[in-house]
Amino acid sequence: MATFLSELVQFQGLVQMILVLGIGGSFPYGFHISVINYPSVHIRKFINETWIERRGSPLHPETIMLLWSFIVSVYGIGGLLGSLCCGYLTTRYRKKKCQMCTNLIMLIAALFMAFSKTARSFEMILVGRFLYGIGTGFSLNIHPQYVGEISPKKLRGFTNSTVAVFLTLGKFMGQVIGLREILGSEALWPWLLASSGISALVQLATLPFFPDSPSYLLIQKGNEEACRKAIRKLWGEGDHQAEIDDIMKEKVAMTTTKTLRVLELIKEPSLRWQLYILVIVMTTLQLCGINAIYFYSFEVFHTAKFEEYLIPYVSLGVGLCECLSSILCSALIDRFGRKALLWGGYTLMCSVLALLTMTLSLQHQFFWMHYFSVILIFLFVTFYGIGPSGATVSVMVEIFSQSFRPSAFLIVGCINWMGLFVLGMIFPLIVDNLGPFCFLIFLGILAFSAIFVYRYLPETKGKSIMEIKAEFNQLNFGKKESSVTDNNFAKDQLSSTKL
């Protein structure tokens, strides 16, 4: 730990840029997931009052609920749209410029939210929520790619896992600010929804002072001097020639290929197992049961006889637990590796879900069972934060080279936003029909993913992109391709594709 902290002191520029990227990257995504629940009653009341002022008669409760559901779900539609556009725009106009434009979108959305009540227009909430979705669709794609490209090999796991740290920090801050004692009251809810604009403003003001990623400057721009200058600014003075040599090897390999579109990426034989792993780990992140845990936590806390006014604060403790465990993951990932944290996290989460299913089923027969359920909820969130939450992002960034990453993350974005929408639609039905036994579905998914990752995911810790590609080549082409090295990789890559 002391060595890790001393390295962070050496890489002060890198740490500063991680903070700037995080505050406008995955932080808003986590913030909007949690914050929208707190003003729901006030917004539905506002919709009805606005309609009465316009038409003289109230809306039917089902219509109000439909409008509220659309306000919530339009965020996912905007996010999907942002993800679909992000790959092309970042390739054409670079990540830094696109992220700054994203901040402008978020600020416009914040203005819509802030003045919706004054303008007596619930449509402005709808527009603001849609723009927030577009903005987070962009930032959630740009942030992990950008932060993965600015780090040296020995800190790459740490920097990649900060994406999850800022996401969980955003969720926690949304829970804090959403309390009725702060901005969750009926008078202040527009400012609660607009407060996300602060993070966009901070990033917009600070990001211009930081460089583009060294790999972008060297590979795409061909400017070695600018690359070295960026490395000195981010990593400090020292001998970084080995890192530059790795980037040069990647550049040489990329001269025989081109940036692939999504359909070309899916058809590419040399990327087949990378795509399998990408889909498995991203789908598991969506369907691991974390949303079900948050859903059931309120019922468990009620059953455990917590006072009604205390439950939001106990739920706040769950959010804080996830945030702290994500921070712990960022400190452990470069020591234990991504593979161990993934399959180990999946296995521990499986065990907790099995026990939680049992305790929830028996809680009405034994009064002390609900106390075990509370402990298991905190354990599940801890294992999720230490394992899949941080390690998934790191794996997704590291298994693709820079030319394939935009299209790969477009697929990630589609899985994420479509999964969010589908889960929101079918999860209430699953709970109604299966009750606590719904956790058995997530248990099965986690068990399959643990076995798959343990058997097929190569460890990426401390390896260059070319070394990781060589390991995947053994999976993609079998034993006859197992001798691929950095020197002959470009040649083999050329012979095995149509490009």
Side-chain angles (χ1 to χ4, degrees):
M1 182 61 74
T3 305
F4 173 72
L5 292 175
S6 65
E7 286 177 345
L8 292 187
V9 172
Q10 177 191 345
F11 291 87
Q12 289 183 30
L14 176 64
V15 173
Q16 291 169 4
M17 191 166 186
I18 287 171
L19 292 173
V20 170
L21 288 174
I23 200 69
S26 57
F27 180 89
Y29 175 74
F31 184 85
H32 291 300
I33 285 177
S34 64
V35 82
I36 194 64
N37 297 315
Y38 290 88
S40 61
V41 175
H42 306 315
I43 292 176
R44 281 179 280 177
K45 182 180 177 182
F46 172 68
I47 291 171
N48 196 37
E49 289 175 350
T50 305
W51 193 264
I52 292 172
E53 290 173 6
R54 294 178 185 176
R55 303 296 177 91
S57 60
L59 278 170
H60 193 276
E62 290 184 0
T63 307
I64 296 174
M65 185 56 67
L66 180 63
L67 286 170
W68 166 245
S69 300
F70 191 54
I71 287 172
V72 173
S73 61
V74 78
Y75 177 71
I77 297 171
L80 181 60
L81 181 62
S83 293
L84 292 174
C85 299
C86 186
Y88 169 77
L89 293 175
T90 52
T91 302
R92 184 175 177 85
Y93 297 108
R94 69 193 174 98
K95 297 178 183 68
K96 182 178 175 181
K97 185 181 290 186
C98 288
Q99 185 59 41
M100 293 178 69
C101 291
T102 298
N103 291 324
L104 294 176
I105 295 173
M106 300 292 275
L107 286 172
I108 293 170
L111 290 174
F112 272 98
M113 292 296 194
F115 295 105
S116 58
K117 190 174 182 180
T118 305
R120 309 302 295 171
S121 172
F122 62 83
E123 293 87 354
M124 290 177 68
I125 303 174
L126 192 66
V127 173
R129 184 86 173 151
F130 178 69
L131 291 175
Y132 272 148
I134 292 176
T136 49
F138 269 94
S139 61
L140 204 59
N141 267 16
I142 294 170
H143 183 197
Q145 295 182 67
Y146 205 157
V147 83
E149 292 170 10
I150 62 173
S151 60
K153 278 191 297 186
K154 61 182 178 181
L155 290 177
R156 198 171 58 210
F158 163 73
T159 54
N160 288 333
S161 63
T162 58
V163 176
V165 171
F166 280 98
L167 195 154
T168 55
L169 184 61
K171 287 164 72 172
F172 177 66
M173 287 303 297
Q175 290 176 309
V176 172
I177 299 175
L179 294 172
R180 56 180 177 272
E181 292 86 353
I182 303 179
L183 291 179
S185 64
E186 187 173 359
L188 297 176
W189 66 260
W191 299 104
L192 171 64
L193 299 180
S195 58
S196 179
I198 297 173
S199 61
L201 189 61
V202 170
Q203 189 181 70
L204 186 63
T206 54
L207 190 57
F209 296 99
F210 291 91
D212 288 296
S213 68
S215 56
Y216 168 81
L217 293 169
L218 186 57
I219 295 174
Q220 253 112 347
K221 289 294 185 181
N223 191 337
E224 186 173 344
E225 182 56 36
C227 171
R228 290 181 181 275
K229 185 178 178 181
I231 285 176
R232 285 195 299 271
K233 185 175 178 66
L234 295 172
W235 304 348
E237 298 297 333
D239 184 13
H240 305 298
Q241 188 58 45
E243 299 281 352
I244 296 173
D245 290 342
D246 285 337
I247 299 174
M248 287 297 297
K249 289 178 183 178
E250 185 179 354
K251 182 181 179 181
V252 170
M254 285 177 61
T255 57
T256 60
T257 62
K258 67 174 184 178
T259 301
L260 300 183
R261 296 180 179 179
V262 174
L263 289 179
E264 294 172 324
L265 189 78
I266 293 171
K267 295 176 182 178
E268 176 56 49
S270 64
L271 299 172
R272 186 170 59 245
W273 274 95
Q274 289 94 317
L275 284 173
Y276 292 161
I277 288 170
L278 175 77
V279 171
I280 290 294
V281 297
M282 190 60 205
T283 304
T284 306
L285 194 68
Q286 285 285 342
L287 301 178
C288 66
I290 188 67
N291 295 312
I293 288 291
Y294 273 102
F295 179 87
Y296 258 99
S297 63
F298 284 91
E299 180 184 327
V300 170
F301 297 151
H302 274 293
T303 310
K305 308 299 182 186
F306 284 103
E307 296 290 339
E308 189 71 31
Y309 74 94
L310 284 177
I311 289 178
Y313 298 97
V314 180
S315 300
L316 202 63
V318 177
L320 180 61
C321 182
E322 183 183 351
C323 185
L324 292 176
S325 57
S326 294
I327 294 172
L328 181 60
C329 174
S330 68
L332 297 176
I333 192 168
D334 281 314
R335 180 169 182 173
F336 294 99
R338 294 75 164 134
K339 183 175 181 176
L341 290 183
L342 273 178
W343 75 262
Y346 292 156
T347 304
L348 290 171
M349 290 161 70
C350 270
S351 304
V352 172
L353 287 183
L355 291 172
L356 188 60
T357 302
M358 182 180 68
T359 57
L360 288 174
S361 301
L362 300 175
Q363 66 181 352
H364 297 297
Q365 299 179 34
F366 304 96
F367 74 94
W368 43 266
M369 273 292 181
H370 46 252
Y371 296 113
F372 280 103
S373 298
V374 172
I375 295 170
L376 289 171
I377 284 173
F378 278 91
L379 279 176
F380 184 89
V381 170
T382 300
F383 294 147
Y384 170 79
I386 293 175
S389 178
T392 299
V393 176
S394 192
V395 167
M396 292 189 303
V397 171
E398 292 171 350
I399 62 177
F400 290 97
S401 65
Q402 187 155 326
S403 57
F404 306 139
R405 212 169 280 144
S407 294
F409 269 81
L410 195 153
I411 296 173
V412 168
C414 289
I415 294 173
N416 177 59
W417 292 103
M418 290 176 68
L420 200 65
F421 178 77
V422 171
L423 197 62
M425 294 292 290
I426 67 171
F427 179 67
L429 299 175
I430 293 174
V431 172
D432 287 341
N433 286 283
L434 297 180
F437 293 101
C438 70
F439 290 118
L440 295 178
I441 298 174
F442 305 121
L443 189 153
I445 293 169
L446 285 167
F448 170 79
S449 299
I451 296 169
F452 184 90
V453 167
Y454 181 79
R455 292 199 60 182
Y456 298 113
L457 175 65
E459 181 53 70
T460 60
K461 181 183 75 171
K463 296 177 182 176
S464 68
I465 294 294
M466 300 308 300
E467 291 170 334
I468 295 169
K469 281 182 176 179
E471 289 206 34
F472 270 107
N473 236 45
Q474 297 180 36
L475 290 170
N476 288 320
F477 300 111
K479 293 181 180 179
K480 64 178 181 179
E481 296 288 339
S482 62
S483 61
V484 173
T485 64
D486 287 351
N487 294 327
N488 64 13
F489 181 84
K491 182 178 177 181
D492 290 341
Q493 173 86 349
L494 184 63
S495 64
S496 65
T497 69
K498 298 178 181 179
L499 300 177

